[in-house]
Amino acid sequence: MSISSLATLNMPAVKTYGKRKYPITRVTIHHAACITTAKALGLYFQMPNSHGSANYGIGNDGQIVNMVDEDKAACTSNSMENDHAAITIEVSNSASGGDWPVSEAAMESLVNLLVDICQRNPGIGRLNFTGDLKGNMTMHKWFAATGCPGAYLGGKFPWIAEEVNRRLDEAEQPPMEEETEMRYNTLEEVPDYAKETISKLVEAGTLQGNGEGLNLSEDMIRILVILDRQGKL
């Protein structure tokens, strides 16, 4: 069973193609053609007379529902060939009609979900939108007489690919190691310019360290030398 941890709802759809015939190598993003929630999408595809399904649904508020396990092909694109190779996602619109816009919350969830999908499915790798079947991002309207995914979402495909790939690259960057500040624990380790000052402070009992050594930083040493030269020590 393979489901994104970003999905907060699991509502198995009635209709699927069953186990995939092909490896997962692409994603297909659809629009719901309505303003809806993740739960409502899940309920719709659980109706006995439902003729379709999708692997994931995203509500207008950004909540994600899993409806078909990634190991199975959802009936989404009017193309069995496409659906057996694609993870399909239905995205709520934020307004009905026009260019069928999508909310910022839904778009952010879509990008996050795609990053997660790409990370777990090496057959997809980085997203590549070419505007045709040569890429790994496909559109419903390429397989059927439909306007899906709508002008707004369809126009965002190049940006979606760029943003997902940017986040994938960021995730692969090794964490930066914190620089460890040099500490001087013995008089022998102290820079020559400061040996006289530090030696004087140690002999006077002013500097006693932390029990394991003097534990002086470079900045602390500079300040002590300045104060010593000003006659303030």
Side-chain angles (χ1 to χ4, degrees):
M1 192 171 188
S2 182
I3 298 174
S4 172
S5 61
L6 298 177
T8 56
L9 293 175
N10 182 24
M11 303 176 69
V14 172
K15 189 173 179 62
T16 77
Y17 288 123
K19 282 290 184 180
R20 291 182 182 274
K21 295 180 180 179
Y22 312 125
I24 296 171
T25 56
R26 61 179 64 167
V27 295
T28 309
I29 306 166
H30 301 251
H31 80 132
C34 64
I35 306 168
T36 187
T37 65
K39 185 175 181 179
L41 282 169
L43 289 171
Y44 175 76
F45 288 121
Q46 285 184 332
M47 294 171 61
N49 60 346
S50 174
H51 297 294
S53 60
N55 293 106
Y56 294 98
I58 300 177
N60 188 43
D61 63 354
Q63 186 177 26
I64 300 172
V65 58
N66 169 256
M67 298 174 289
V68 177
D69 189 291
E70 290 179 16
D71 293 337
K72 296 180 180 179
C75 305
T76 323
S77 311
N78 292 99
S79 168
M80 187 182 295
E81 292 293 307
N82 181 75
D83 289 344
H84 271 285
I87 292 179
T88 61
I89 306 168
E90 287 277 358
V91 184
S92 170
N93 299 101
S94 58
S96 295
D99 62 355
W100 296 99
V102 170
S103 70
E104 289 184 9
M107 186 65 74
E108 178 66 15
S109 290
L110 173 61
V111 170
N112 288 334
L113 179 59
L114 288 168
V115 170
D116 178 62
I117 287 170
C118 290
Q119 288 173 330
R120 292 182 296 101
N121 292 278
I124 299 175
R126 294 167 63 84
L127 291 186
N128 178 30
F129 178 66
T130 60
D132 56 28
L133 294 174
K134 294 177 182 178
N136 59 10
M137 297 176 71
T138 56
M139 294 186 181
H140 189 183
K141 66 181 182 180
W142 297 350
F143 310 107
T146 174
C148 181
Y152 180 85
L153 193 53
K156 286 286 188 179
F157 270 46
W159 176 84
I160 290 170
E162 181 181 350
E163 181 62 14
V164 168
N165 291 336
R166 183 186 70 79
R167 297 189 191 188
L168 287 171
D169 290 340
E170 280 186 355
E172 290 179 358
Q173 293 295 325
M176 294 186 64
E177 296 183 5
E178 293 185 9
E179 293 186 8
T180 304
E181 186 179 24
M182 177 68 179
R183 311 296 289 193
Y184 300 89
N185 288 307
T186 67
L187 186 59
E188 289 72 20
E189 294 174 354
V190 171
D192 290 340
Y193 76 87
K195 273 187 167 60
E196 182 179 350
T197 296
I198 302 305
S199 178
K200 179 172 65 175
L201 292 172
V202 169
E203 290 176 2
T206 305
L207 279 180
Q208 298 180 359
N210 61 359
E212 297 180 358
L214 296 174
N215 193 33
L216 294 171
S217 68
E218 185 74 31
D219 288 340
M220 291 168 64
I221 289 174
R222 288 197 185 99
I223 291 170
L224 289 172
V225 169
I226 291 171
L227 291 174
D228 187 29
R229 290 174 179 174
Q230 290 178 344
K232 296 181 180 180
L233 292 179

